[in-house]
Amino acid sequence: MKRTAIYPGSFDPLTNGHLDVIQRAAKLFDRVVIAVAENEGKHPLFTQAERVTLVKKAVAKLPNVETDSFSTLLVEYVAARKAQAIVRGLRAVSDFEFEFQLALMNRKLDEKIETIFMMPKDTYTFLSSRIVKEIARLGGDVQPFVPPHVQLALKKKLKKI
Ligand code: ADP
């Protein structure tokens, strides 16, 4: 039986921290599906289609990783994709409370699905899409934090080039 994990998130935009989690999950599962959430409520900088394109390009060389989008309830999406697990990243204690609540709620909704937490390399523990956007907005250099094509997309979106 093939083991599939879904890694859901806003990915607005994808960062090296997300990529670190993806690479770790790809070693544990036969297939990892990165599921880009619509998340209109979060007023994303990039459209869902743009976020999918940025993720796709970043994972093109990983053979067992694919990219998709979803706008339904996560557990329904996981079941529809015949996946066994949800992968989420844990950076620090500050992530824990929300992630814990989410994982237990998802378990209530579908007890067959397990949530797996992955910790990134220590240098990425301070990294978030929100901070990357803030730095880019203020004209700072985001090169150490995101792949080159994401850096370019941020510059274009924020009209810095
Ligand atoms: P969401 O809106 O669902 O939180 P994000 O794209 O912000 O979407 O995050 C998706 C997942 O990736 C979350 O589990 C988050 O904790 C994790 N994550 C985000 N940035 C990092 C990072 N630098 N290192 C490890 N995990 C991360």
Side-chain angles (χ1 to χ4, degrees), residues 7-11 17-18 21 39 42 88-91 95 99 120 124 127:
Y7 180 26
S10 309
F11 303 100
H18 291 127
V21 169
N39 265 347
K42 273 196 168 179
R88 294 285 288 177
L90 265 192
R91 284 163 291 194
D95 276 340
E99 294 292 343
Y124 297 138
L127 195 50

Side-chain angles (χ1 to χ4, degrees), residues 46-159:
F46 292 95
T47 66
Q48 191 177 22
E50 287 169 338
R51 287 179 274 139
V52 167
T53 304
L54 293 175
V55 173
K56 262 195 182 146
K57 189 160 180 185
V59 300
K61 290 203 176 83
L62 298 172
N64 61 336
V65 177
E66 59 181 87
T67 313
D68 194 9
S69 54
F70 76 108
S71 42
T72 55
L73 199 59
L74 177 60
V75 289
E76 280 172 11
Y77 175 78
V78 173
R81 295 295 316 241
K82 300 192 173 17
Q84 290 76 33
I86 295 169
V87 166
R88 294 285 288 177
L90 265 192
R91 284 163 291 194
V93 181
S94 51
D95 276 340
F96 182 77
E97 198 167 335
F98 174 71
E99 294 292 343
F100 182 66
Q101 199 180 13
L102 194 67
L104 290 187
M105 180 52 81
N106 283 332
R107 182 182 281 167
K108 266 259 176 298
L109 295 172
D110 187 340
E111 62 181 24
K112 293 187 294 302
I113 301 168
E114 293 295 343
T115 299
I116 314 274
F117 293 105
M118 314 232 53
M119 278 167 286
K121 194 168 164 223
D122 55 0
T123 44
Y124 297 138
T125 52
F126 60 90
L127 195 50
S128 72
S129 300
R130 189 182 58 78
I131 287 179
V132 163
K133 282 182 282 190
E134 201 57 35
I135 296 170
R137 235 179 231 122
L138 297 169
D141 182 14
V142 296
Q143 186 266 328
F145 314 126
V146 294
H149 68 282
V150 173
Q151 187 183 10
L152 191 65
L154 275 165
K155 277 190 181 157
K156 282 191 180 152
K157 184 64 96 178
L158 299 166
K159 308 247 182 310

